[in-house]
Amino acid sequence: MSKGQVLVLGSNATQLGLRSGSTATVGQYLNETAVPALALLDAGYDIVLATPNGTKPHIDAGSDTKDHFGGDEAAYQRAKDFFASHPAMNDVRTLKSVVDEGLDGFVGVFVPGGHAPIVDLMQDRDAGTILRHFHAAAKPTALLCHGPVVVVAALDDAPAFRKALEEGDDAGAADLARDWIYAGYRMTVFSASEEKIAEEQVLKGELYFDMEKALRSAGGDVSVTDKNFASNVVVDRELITGQNPASDRAMADALIEALDRAAA
């Protein structure tokens, strides 16, 4: 018997604009999607995947490697097989449909990372509605790597906030974030120093803003590790955030612990 349904918010973005005017091909990270999802299933929870347009997320090519699974070929293959063929990864809903049909039946929500979520989910109105519901109900809300920046979708005008960040309008961004539901929450996110490495080695270009600045501009109490790509998970009330791809299992464990505690 299932312990309950966890809603997974996926991204449909495949292109990310860079400051140079060029674009980079992006997607969700394989390990950040599959490791927590499989852990939830193994722990007795069901998962429901929803995206803005109702189609399956694209996996970032840079994440399609056993390196993100500690070099474990079997774990890597299990993740690939899961994403390719498991019904939960292929019966994709739209965010709007899960909002319209009601969110009370979900026991938690999870947002994987990769750069894709900063394109669409970060400014998606339905994602904001979902986050506000889970916040009001104090239900476990977990976000990983770049995923934590999606919490700004809960702002009244998330697209305007994102535009202010792109334009370097710090005062305008802070003004738009007044009364943000997560103001003062402790949280973590893919660090500015980690992003520099990603920009140089993967994206081949500079982003308009880094994730630390985005969350601090909104009012988040952001902390990151001194060592790049060291696992780091921060829990504050219902909010569970993981800093980077290496935080996948630790964030999953924290989410399952919070779900089990809420059920008890």
Side-chain angles (χ1 to χ4, degrees):
M1 181 177 177
S2 172
K3 293 181 179 179
Q5 290 186 323
V6 175
L7 180 61
V8 179
L9 304 189
S11 170
N12 292 128
T14 59
Q15 297 295 313
L16 171 65
L18 303 173
R19 191 173 291 279
S20 64
S22 63
T23 60
T25 299
V26 296
Q28 285 186 193
Y29 260 45
L30 176 63
N31 69 301
E32 296 178 22
T33 304
V35 171
L38 284 166
L40 286 163
L41 291 171
D42 290 344
Y45 293 93
D46 291 329
I47 56 176
V48 174
L49 174 61
T51 64
N53 68 22
T55 63
K56 191 171 180 176
H58 170 74
I59 290 297
D60 194 301
S63 73
D64 193 359
T65 168
K66 67 181 180 181
D67 293 345
H68 286 294
F69 297 84
D72 186 333
E73 180 69 37
Y76 168 53
Q77 193 59 52
R78 185 188 182 208
K80 284 175 67 71
D81 292 345
F82 167 75
F83 186 79
S85 60
H86 195 282
M89 292 291 100
N90 290 284
D91 184 16
V92 188
R93 307 278 303 283
T94 64
L95 299 181
K96 185 177 188 304
S97 72
V98 296
V99 169
D100 289 348
E101 291 177 22
L103 299 165
D104 289 339
F106 294 103
V107 296
V109 63
F110 163 58
V111 184
H115 284 89
I118 71 177
V119 179
D120 54 4
L121 292 181
M122 178 183 180
Q123 54 186 337
D124 188 276
R125 183 177 297 277
D126 293 314
T129 299
I130 290 165
L131 289 168
R132 286 190 292 272
H133 167 87
F134 282 88
H135 169 75
K139 293 180 181 178
T141 301
L143 311 98
L144 180 58
C145 195
H146 287 79
V149 81
V150 175
V151 292
V152 304
L155 293 170
D156 288 339
D157 194 345
F161 177 82
R162 190 181 189 281
K163 186 172 186 292
L165 291 175
E166 289 187 340
E167 295 174 348
D169 182 4
D170 296 344
D175 186 60
L176 287 163
R178 287 181 299 173
D179 302 321
W180 186 43
I181 59 176
Y182 298 108
Y185 270 64
R186 291 182 295 107
M187 60 186 71
T188 191
V189 70
F190 198 68
S191 72
S193 60
E194 290 167 338
E195 197 69 83
K196 287 295 182 185
I197 296 170
E199 288 173 334
E200 293 170 3
Q201 299 183 9
V202 181
L203 301 174
K204 307 300 183 183
E206 184 181 354
L207 296 179
Y208 284 99
F209 57 89
D210 65 65
M211 305 308 107
E212 286 187 63
K213 182 175 182 179
L215 292 179
R216 290 194 177 109
S217 296
D221 180 5
V222 182
S223 62
V224 298
T225 58
D226 293 333
K227 180 181 179 181
N228 288 332
F229 305 108
S231 178
N232 180 37
V233 173
V234 175
V235 180
D236 187 352
R237 288 158 279 187
E238 83 277 7
L239 190 66
I240 303 163
T241 49
Q243 180 176 328
N244 48 40
S247 308
D248 54 2
R249 183 68 217 201
M251 194 228 67
D253 290 343
L255 173 57
I256 292 166
E257 180 181 347
L259 290 167
D260 288 348
R261 186 168 58 248

